[in-house]
Amino acid sequence: MSVRPIRTIGDPILRSAADPVRRFDDDLRTLVADMFETMRDVEGVGLAAPQIGVGLQIFVYEIGEDSGVFINPRIELGDEMQEGGEGCLSVPGLGFDTPRRQRARVSGLDEHGQEHEAEAMGLLARCFQHEHDHLQGTLYVNRLEGEARREAWRRIRAEDYARTVAEVRQERAGTLGSSFGG
């Protein structure tokens, strides 16, 4: 297992829809293990494969006792909205209240190709929606509305945001060693 570099906003893979996984082999299981290790290393609660430069439909999550992987996931959302803030490992240093649904049900495969599903409320439902969006090429900042959306994009376009991203990359590089690049 190894910690992998996390791609940040501006990287084209974060704006591209991921491809379905077709092979369930040792390479896939190693990738999933690396994703868990990477997520834990940066103290995240979820991580999608495109965030580490792999254009496949995979996400991992860990919130408290709830932990798992979904491959080729399908998501169903409830009607009720929830309030809450969100950030993203690929959009470092920012966080905004992001509209999400209160309930989410995800079904898909695990790293062995076995079908499974999970139903979630609150924070876990938010995590499922956030990670599923990554697989569609959507970042949470695209879900923002009104003034929050304008503020997010103002801050992302600001010169000092580029410095923030560079500082986070440098900090993460301490874990990854010299192979971590821009």
Side-chain angles (χ1 to χ4, degrees), residues 60-76:
V60 298
Y61 64 94
E62 185 171 67
I63 297 176
E65 299 295 312
D66 290 312
S67 166
V69 58
F70 278 101
I71 298 172
N72 302 337
R74 298 169 304 280
I75 192 166
E76 299 172 34

Side-chain angles (χ1 to χ4, degrees), residues 52-150:
I52 59 168
V54 178
L56 293 174
Q57 294 180 14
I58 306 167
F59 74 78
V60 298
Y61 64 94
E62 185 171 67
I63 297 176
E65 299 295 312
D66 290 312
S67 166
V69 58
F70 278 101
I71 298 172
N72 302 337
R74 298 169 304 280
I75 192 166
E76 299 172 34
L77 303 176
D79 294 328
E80 184 181 345
M81 299 299 290
Q82 65 166 293
E83 294 181 20
E86 241 170 83
C88 180
L89 298 172
S90 293
V91 188
L94 298 181
F96 292 92
D97 286 342
T98 307
R100 294 287 185 186
R101 302 299 177 122
Q102 177 65 15
R103 184 188 67 75
R105 177 182 301 182
V106 178
S107 56
L109 305 170
D110 67 13
E111 66 271 35
H112 304 287
Q114 299 299 306
E115 187 77 33
H116 70 111
E117 69 177 29
E119 185 155 348
M121 302 284 287
L123 181 59
L124 186 56
R126 178 174 293 278
C127 176
F128 286 169
Q129 292 166 75
H130 180 107
E131 300 310 329
H132 190 268
D133 274 356
H134 274 298
L135 304 182
Q136 311 310 308
T138 300
L139 296 171
Y140 89 99
V141 292
N142 297 108
R143 296 277 180 193
L144 301 177
E145 299 171 342
E147 185 54 35
R149 183 180 183 93
R150 287 186 289 279

Side-chain angles (χ1 to χ4, degrees), residues 1-6 26-42 46-49 51-52 54 58-60 69 89 111 175-176:
M1 294 189 309
S2 62
V3 174
R4 300 211 190 175
I6 295 174
D26 288 341
D27 289 340
L28 176 67
R29 287 182 280 285
T30 298
L31 172 61
V32 169
D34 288 354
M35 289 175 66
F36 272 110
E37 187 169 346
T38 301
M39 176 185 66
R40 290 171 180 145
D41 182 70
V42 295
L47 184 72
Q51 291 181 273
I52 59 168
V54 178
I58 306 167
F59 74 78
V60 298
V69 58
L89 298 172
E111 66 271 35
T175 301
L176 297 166

